[in-house]
Amino acid sequence: MRTDLALPVRLSDYRAPDFLIDEVRLDAHLNGSDTRVEAVLSIRRNPAGRPGAPLVLDGDELEPLSVELDGVTQPLGDVARPDRLTLDVAGDGPFELRVVTRLDPAANTKLMGLYRSGSAYCTQCEAEGFRRITYFIDRPDVLSVYTTRIEADVTEAPVLLGNGNLIESGKIENTSRHYAIWQDPWPKPCYLFALVGGDLGVVEDSLVTASGRLVKLGIYVEHGKEDRAGYAMDALKRSMIWDEKAFGREYDLDVFNIVAVSDFNMGAMENKGLNIFNDKYVLALPQTATDIDYAHIEGVIAHEYFHNWTGNRITCRDWFQLCLKEGLTVFRDQEFSSDERSRPVKRIMDVRTLRAAQFPEDAGPLAHNVRPETYLEINNFYTPTVYEKGAEIIRMLKLMIGDDAFRRGMDLYFERCDGTAAVVEDFLSCFAETSGRDLTKFKRWYTQAGTPSLTVKSHYDADAHRFTLDFEQTTAPTPGQPAKEALVIPIALGLITEDGQEMALVTPDAGSPGGASRREAERGVFDLAEPRRQIIFEDVRSRPIPSLLRGFSAPVNVHATTSDDDLLILLAHDSDMFNRWQAAQTCATRWLLRAVKALRAGEPIPQDTRLADALEAVVARFEQDPAFTAQVMLLPTESDIAREISTDVDPDAVHQARKALRRLVGERLSTRLKTVYDALAPARAYSPDAASAGRRALRNAALDLIAAADPEAGGLMAEAQFNAANNMTDQIGALAVLSHIPGNAREAALDSFFRAHAGDALVVDKWFALQATIPERETLARVRRLMTHHAFSATNPNRLRSLIGSFAGGNQTQFNAADGSGYDLVADTVIDVDRKNPQIAARLLASFRSWRSLESKRGALAEAALRRVAGQPELSPDVRDIVERSLRQ
């Protein structure tokens, strides 16, 4: 393991590579622990590099067998170390470097470079995994054309896959081995390299592109699981067609392959023409996958395919520009899913994810810019900030400049930057050109960490028929950034009458006090580019209710003076579906904050039933949009409440407050909920389409609230649903309800579920996760027992995430147990896993990101656990980076 103290990498220190590698010819002999890779590199000096600089190639735990430069053998001891190869070369080249390395893929528990997943050989090279295969200038701005020859025993690995197109294959005479040669004609960085060798089943299909080209499609899975890849193939074909229509992007190779593996550190990888996936984002049957799983498969398949242009054809110059490919591609996959499903519901779900994952990151010690300025370990920056907040920046840009200018900007970006390694400035310049807008201030979203707070005050002058909104933005200091500048915040808004009618937006001219441009008033989108702005609306004949930040037009925290009664009018009448949902969330959050305050003061919880009554009115209209109704009925999570409290958080009080609100809503809506539950009885045949998924989501939400009010009756209903379910969504929904009701029925259902699905790893992951999130004191002991279960493996990332990750991220009361035992469990796991898989260990450790917001006793215990991790003698750079940033002041 690399345990050296890494030096920080800084954006300001960027310099062009001293050498370029135009062509790579790889010959991979897959042969168990004696796997050998021969790399032939065509290298030349970069005119933009340092004259006379030595040739330095990166390595990581490599075993070199031979090195030749232009046919001359080099002394290994002089030029090659496990982590570096250095050669003094004369002239500008081109040079031919031939290197042979020996690998043991089965021993590679880091799952970076070439490793084994089950019996298959596979690779993961982003961000810096290629250097674990051979020596290379391992950085994204070195673009090369790759030809890969793969050789293996035909029995062990009858399937041999590489990047690009297959140009040759055959048997090797007088041996049991065969080979395949793949060539990718498009220059790419080494992080997009991939190969796979194994005994795999395949689902095949094809698609004719808009220009009439035939593309062969293949999804490779373990034998016997071919029937679970059908939905992934359908999602792939829909993604390809959508990208042609929405962005004008056509696929550029003859084949597109996906391989699903069970051991993978991430979700999936967009290697050119050969995507490698965590199998949880490929495999689905109604009996094994939930509606959420189907939606995730659709989204991740689309995301990785869309990378073909936003990430592969145009890559990033350096890893500081990671958001340029990831944030943009998340935006694209969100738009795809919005078009394929319900746009309002998709937006609500995306904002839930943003607030749950990214807002806490922005508020804690791990906060960083969307485009960081420095890093110690790049693997730790595949974060919600880069992905989700990065996507929000693209969404704001599109809203600000309009659909037409945005599309023309994307077209210009593809035209201008195709085949290059780009930076954020390259991207933004295209939109500045097509829109005529100065985006200098807007770029601050990339360079400034933290979630802005938007304070809104309103005043209605009935005599003057004038309504005034005063906006003020502030951003709290974050590590390394004590002072903040004003951002450009697009505020989409509307005005609603008390009887629910939309008002026209009439403002003074732009040059007048409180004025706005005609374009702003017509579109209902107003830019806040300074710390404060006042907007005056004229000819307002009755007191309006402002509908603020429609569609969640910017990733900010809003603090407005809108009353609960006005919010309930918005819930009933706002034309913006997102803000209808947001009105319910805001009312519920206020109720919960009052309840937490009362509980901590030893006082009774105020019994305000207005929210429950308003929710009943929403449920009464459930047939209009069951999916949206289900989202409204999902109350703020314990993490949501803790984030709103922000300091001196008591997780037990938060849990009790939410439990009380669920019980109140369940009691007040009992009859209505049972009517909805019965009305949404499942169809005989399962379909994963959005409408059917919405009906199941609402039915399960109703069951959850029924059980919250009456555990006995709800438990019996859940048992019946569990036993009768013909799909995983309904079965796991019922089991989730039962898991919160202690007793024999729960344990019997859990045992039954495991016995029925013991042979399916992805379903067993659900079994582990469900038990890890039971909010009871005994859960810690349960988790420890499960860690010794024969189905648990600490070397499988999915299994670790399902048990330990779910406990730390989804069980606020027990992870934050008052005696510190939850922190100790996670810290112990991190220390152990770090020796085998530093990436997964670091991600588990990031569950401590909000420890400073806890009440003092818990905060001290969390800090002690972090310091114990920090004190370990041989930490990986991954974990050391996270723990040191978590503890910094």
Side-chain angles (χ1 to χ4, degrees):
M1 177 186 293
R2 213 180 96 229
T3 58
D4 54 294
L5 296 180
L7 296 175
V9 181
R10 303 182 192 281
L11 174 60
S12 59
D13 292 339
Y14 173 83
R15 69 168 189 261
D18 295 321
F19 291 85
L20 299 175
I21 302 175
D22 295 316
E23 185 180 0
V24 178
R25 301 194 303 278
L26 289 179
D27 195 348
H29 293 247
L30 306 181
N31 190 29
S33 60
D34 190 29
T35 290
R36 301 188 183 208
V37 175
E38 180 182 78
V40 180
L41 312 180
S42 297
I43 304 174
R44 60 184 170 87
R45 280 195 186 275
N46 183 2
R50 297 172 300 168
L55 174 62
V56 179
L57 281 72
D58 302 298
D60 185 0
E61 298 183 339
L62 287 177
E63 180 188 355
L65 299 181
S66 65
V67 176
E68 294 180 11
L69 181 64
D70 287 335
V72 178
T73 299
Q74 305 295 308
L76 287 180
D78 294 342
V79 302
R81 303 191 321 229
D83 65 339
R84 181 161 296 188
L85 189 153
T86 305
L87 291 166
D88 290 316
V89 294
D92 296 334
F95 315 102
E96 182 177 275
L97 179 66
R98 184 183 302 267
V99 178
V100 179
T101 53
R102 176 161 49 208
L103 311 175
D104 184 358
N108 183 3
T109 62
K110 293 182 178 180
L111 310 186
M112 288 292 290
L114 179 62
Y115 66 94
R116 301 292 288 266
S117 179
S119 62
Y121 297 85
C122 61
T123 57
Q124 170 59 28
C125 293
E126 187 175 359
E128 295 175 339
F130 192 71
R131 65 182 66 186
R132 295 177 59 79
I133 297 172
T134 190
Y135 295 100
F136 206 77
I137 305 174
D138 193 349
R139 46 190 286 173
D141 57 351
V142 175
L143 309 182
S144 314
V145 173
Y146 283 71
T147 301
T148 305
R149 181 183 181 277
I150 312 165
E151 177 187 312
D153 185 275
V154 70
T155 303
E156 181 185 39
V159 173
L160 301 175
L161 303 173
N163 300 105
N165 299 317
L166 179 65
I167 61 173
E168 185 181 329
S169 63
K171 283 195 163 188
I172 300 174
E173 292 185 9
N174 302 319
T175 73
S176 62
R177 298 176 71 78
H178 70 138
Y179 72 94
I181 301 176
W182 293 79
Q183 186 176 64
D184 182 2
W186 301 101
K188 65 174 180 284
C190 66
Y191 80 82
L192 292 171
F193 169 81
L195 69 78
V196 171
D199 187 4
L200 301 168
V202 63
V203 174
E204 295 179 311
D205 207 328
S206 63
L207 182 134
V208 177
T209 68
S211 66
R213 292 178 53 252
L214 179 68
V215 179
K216 296 180 180 179
L217 310 175
I219 298 182
Y220 291 82
V221 298
E222 293 178 16
H223 285 294
K225 295 182 178 179
E226 292 89 345
D227 60 341
R228 303 186 187 195
Y231 190 77
M233 180 64 79
D234 177 66
L236 173 60
K237 294 174 72 174
R238 287 186 283 118
S239 303
M240 297 175 77
I241 293 169
W242 183 88
D243 208 18
E244 289 180 345
K245 294 178 179 178
F247 285 90
R249 298 299 101 195
E250 185 175 312
Y251 188 59
D252 54 1
L253 291 169
D254 298 336
V255 296
F256 186 89
N257 289 319
I258 291 172
V259 179
V261 299
S262 57
D263 299 279
F264 205 73
N265 284 342
M266 299 183 183
M269 181 60 210
E270 69 268 19
N271 316 297
K272 184 74 177 182
L274 178 56
N275 287 188
I276 299 180
F277 270 64
N278 186 324
D279 60 5
K280 71 180 291 185
Y281 296 115
V282 172
L283 304 177
L285 285 176
Q287 297 78 22
T288 63
T290 65
D291 292 332
I292 292 175
D293 292 330
Y294 276 96
H296 284 165
I297 288 170
E298 180 179 84
V300 177
I301 289 282
H303 180 94
E304 303 308 327
Y305 173 74
F306 296 154
H307 265 313
N308 187 60
W309 278 92
T310 50
N312 296 4
R313 286 285 289 264
I314 305 175
T315 192
C316 45
R317 185 195 71 178
D318 50 68
W319 290 120
F320 297 102
Q321 320 296 327
L322 183 60
C323 60
L324 185 56
K325 75 181 186 77
E326 294 301 347
L328 176 56
T329 306
V330 169
F331 168 77
R332 277 157 45 76
D333 81 57
Q334 289 175 349
E335 286 295 287
F336 166 72
S337 293
S338 295
D339 285 347
E340 296 291 304
R341 294 174 174 262
S342 163
R343 181 166 289 273
V345 171
K346 174 61 176 168
R347 185 60 181 147
I348 290 167
M349 295 176 73
D350 289 339
V351 172
R352 282 190 188 275
T353 300
L354 178 78
R355 288 173 172 166
Q358 196 279 321
F359 277 23
E361 185 169 79
D362 247 351
L366 300 182
H368 61 86
N369 304 346
V370 173
R371 180 170 70 178
E373 295 176 0
T374 183
Y375 64 79
L376 289 174
E377 174 52 66
I378 188 55
N379 288 324
N380 290 338
F381 283 84
Y382 287 77
T383 62
T385 295
V386 167
Y387 281 67
E388 277 72 31
K389 189 174 181 179
E392 292 300 311
I393 295 175
I394 308 299
R395 190 173 301 280
M396 286 189 290
L397 176 64
K398 183 173 187 282
L399 179 64
M400 285 172 50
I401 68 176
D403 293 352
D404 178 66
F406 181 80
R407 174 58 193 268
R408 288 187 289 111
M410 287 299 304
D411 289 345
L412 181 59
Y413 176 60
F414 290 131
E415 176 187 345
R416 181 176 290 170
C417 296
D418 185 18
T420 71
V423 296
V424 165
E425 287 78 6
D426 297 326
F427 178 74
L428 289 178
S429 68
C430 296
F431 299 94
E433 187 171 325
T434 59
S435 68
R437 296 280 298 265
D438 183 350
L439 298 177
T440 303
K441 287 186 177 180
F442 182 77
K443 195 180 82 169
R444 292 174 185 169
W445 280 103
Y446 286 100
T447 60
Q448 186 164 285
T451 302
S453 290
L454 181 65
T455 301
V456 188
K457 296 180 180 179
S458 63
H459 174 70
Y460 178 59
D461 186 335
D463 294 332
H465 298 159
R466 182 182 296 118
F467 182 67
T468 304
L469 287 172
D470 288 293
F471 297 92
E472 181 178 4
Q473 63 164 301
T474 58
T475 304
T478 55
Q481 284 188 342
K484 301 292 185 178
E485 295 183 287
L487 300 169
V488 179
I489 300 175
I491 301 170
L493 63 84
L495 300 180
I496 305 295
T497 65
E498 291 184 355
D499 60 356
Q501 301 300 308
E502 194 90 12
M503 291 182 170
L505 302 181
V506 180
T507 64
D509 292 337
S512 305
S517 70
R518 178 179 297 179
R519 186 172 186 271
E520 286 183 312
E522 288 176 349
R523 299 178 67 231
V525 180
F526 302 83
D527 291 346
L528 174 63
E530 303 298 332
R532 298 172 186 83
R533 181 178 179 181
Q534 182 180 83
I535 303 174
I536 295 173
F537 297 93
E538 298 177 324
D539 196 25
V540 181
R541 297 291 170 173
S542 62
R543 185 186 71 86
I545 302 168
S547 173
L548 302 168
L549 222 69
R550 285 183 156 179
F552 200 62
S553 59
V556 303
N557 285 312
V558 179
H559 305 280
T561 55
T562 312
S563 69
D564 284 359
D565 288 337
D566 283 350
L567 286 170
L568 296 180
I569 292 174
L570 293 176
L571 170 59
H573 299 294
D574 200 334
S575 60
D576 184 79
M577 297 293 283
F578 179 88
N579 272 10
R580 287 182 62 193
W581 170 81
Q582 183 60 65
Q585 291 289 298
T586 302
C587 282
T589 299
R590 290 177 179 178
W591 193 102
L592 289 161
L593 294 178
R594 291 192 294 266
V596 169
K597 184 177 179 180
L599 286 167
R600 297 194 71 178
E603 299 171 354
I605 295 175
Q607 294 299 300
D608 185 344
T609 62
R610 287 177 297 168
L611 172 62
D613 294 340
L615 292 178
E616 183 168 17
V618 174
V619 174
R621 302 189 301 270
F622 77 92
E623 285 287 6
Q624 295 178 6
D625 192 339
F628 173 75
T629 306
Q631 291 298 320
V632 173
M633 300 308 293
L634 293 177
L635 301 174
T637 67
E638 293 174 27
S639 296
D640 291 334
I641 307 161
R643 187 179 66 250
E644 288 294 323
I645 297 172
S646 75
T647 59
D648 194 32
V649 174
D650 180 348
D652 290 336
V654 169
H655 175 72
Q656 290 303 319
R658 188 172 187 272
K659 186 176 179 180
L661 181 55
R662 291 173 63 244
R663 182 171 60 247
L664 173 64
V665 173
E667 289 172 347
R668 297 285 293 190
L669 277 64
S670 176
T671 301
R672 182 77 67 182
L673 291 170
K674 289 175 182 176
T675 300
V676 168
Y677 184 83
D678 292 338
L680 295 174
R684 185 169 299 176
Y686 172 89
S687 171
D689 68 274
S692 299
R695 294 174 70 85
R696 283 186 292 271
L698 179 55
R699 190 170 192 258
N700 283 319
L703 176 62
D704 179 66
L705 290 169
I706 291 168
D710 186 345
E712 183 176 355
L716 291 173
M717 292 171 65
E719 278 189 80
Q721 178 175 312
F722 176 81
N723 292 323
N726 69 349
N727 63 82
M728 181 54 64
T729 301
D730 286 341
Q731 189 172 54
I732 203 75
L735 188 57
V737 170
L738 286 171
S739 72
H740 285 243
I741 305 174
N744 293 333
R746 172 175 73 185
E747 303 308 322
L750 286 168
D751 289 345
S752 171
F753 187 84
F754 179 79
R755 289 196 305 272
H757 301 288
D760 191 314
L762 296 178
V763 181
V764 172
D765 284 340
K766 302 180 194 302
W767 182 75
F768 277 111
L770 206 57
Q771 295 181 80
T773 55
I774 295 172
E776 296 172 6
R777 187 176 302 144
E778 295 77 14
T779 295
L780 180 67
R782 182 188 290 265
V783 170
R784 290 194 180 278
R785 287 197 305 273
L786 289 170
M787 291 177 73
T788 66
H789 194 281
H790 65 85
F792 182 76
S793 169
T795 61
N796 180 266
N798 283 353
R799 198 51 44 91
L800 276 167
R801 285 186 284 253
S802 69
L803 185 60
I804 307 303
S806 295
F807 174 78
N811 196 333
Q812 293 300 301
T813 63
Q814 300 313 303
F815 173 60
N816 295 297
D819 62 358
S821 55
Y823 306 137
D824 289 339
L825 170 68
V826 175
D828 290 342
T829 304
V830 166
I831 292 168
D832 177 61
V833 173
D834 189 42
R835 302 183 184 102
K836 300 181 279 287
N837 191 328
Q839 278 191 41
I840 298 301
R843 292 190 180 113
L844 290 175
L845 188 62
S847 59
F848 284 87
R849 64 191 174 194
S850 299
W851 73 270
R852 291 187 185 276
S853 69
L854 296 165
E855 53 84 15
S856 58
K857 181 181 176 183
R858 284 180 172 86
L861 293 169
E863 182 179 9
L866 285 168
R867 293 200 179 280
R868 183 160 62 85
V869 173
Q872 297 301 306
E874 292 189 350
L875 286 179
S876 68
D878 309 60
V879 168
R880 184 168 299 283
D881 173 42
I882 293 293
V883 74
E884 289 181 351
R885 285 197 286 141
S886 296
L887 289 168
R888 66 186 175 184
Q889 296 298 322

